Amino acid sequence: MKRENILTGSPWEDKMGYCRAVRIGNIIEVSGTVAIVDGEKVKATDAYAQTLNILERVEKVLDDLNASMKDVIRTRIFTTDISTFEAVATAHATFFKDVKPTTGFYEISKLVAPEYLVEIEFTAVLS
């Protein structure tokens, strides 16, 4: 089966040796994705805005692979503060209220930089 790698131009892709997403056949795996924290729309203290930013960016990645959020069967949500659950869940439901992928929500001690509150991984399967 053909393998498609989606690169976003992030300097971390070459530094670490990874890509944003891989599609083989009808399976798509999306790497852990954090928000683009800009200090205005997406603040380092706003888990809701960070989650929406992540979901919007991944929606574009899936579109580039001829898939959509409706194809997502699993999300894995990592946070540095479990008390953000309500904010993250509300943003997650914006995209997945009707899709209802399986989901895990995990508190971890740190992400790659202190301004990131949320990181999400995605699995999609095309029917």
Side-chain angles (χ1 to χ4, degrees):
M1 282 189 244
K2 181 182 153 195
R3 175 188 177 114
E4 291 180 73
N5 288 355
I6 296 295
L7 299 165
T8 61
S10 164
W12 289 100
E13 290 169 342
D14 283 335
K15 184 175 188 170
M16 191 172 199
Y18 84 101
C19 62
R20 175 62 42 218
V22 175
R23 177 178 177 179
I24 298 176
N26 67 335
I27 298 172
I28 299 169
E29 289 286 348
V30 181
S31 292
T33 303
V34 294
I36 296 173
V37 177
D38 61 19
E40 293 177 22
K41 180 181 174 188
V42 181
K43 295 178 173 46
T45 57
D46 189 343
Y48 176 83
Q50 287 192 25
T51 304
L52 275 183
N53 181 271
I54 293 164
L55 294 164
E56 290 165 354
R57 292 175 56 224
V58 168
E59 183 176 46
K60 168 74 171 97
V61 167
L62 291 173
D63 186 57
D64 290 346
L65 289 165
N66 298 314
S68 75
M69 295 300 245
K70 291 179 181 176
D71 298 308
V72 173
I73 64 163
R74 181 166 178 76
T75 59
R76 292 172 195 86
I77 304 167
F78 303 92
T79 182
T80 57
D81 181 0
I82 203 76
S83 72
T84 64
F85 175 79
E86 289 297 327
V88 173
T90 300
H92 189 271
T94 301
F95 283 81
F96 294 120
K97 183 178 185 231
D98 296 326
V99 178
K100 294 193 178 10
T102 62
T103 299
F105 191 80
Y106 312 97
E107 182 179 62
I108 59 173
S109 63
K110 294 180 186 176
L111 290 168
V112 72
E115 64 268 23
Y116 302 125
L117 301 175
V118 180
E119 181 170 324
I120 307 175
E121 299 175 348
F122 301 79
T123 301
V125 177
L126 304 171
S127 52

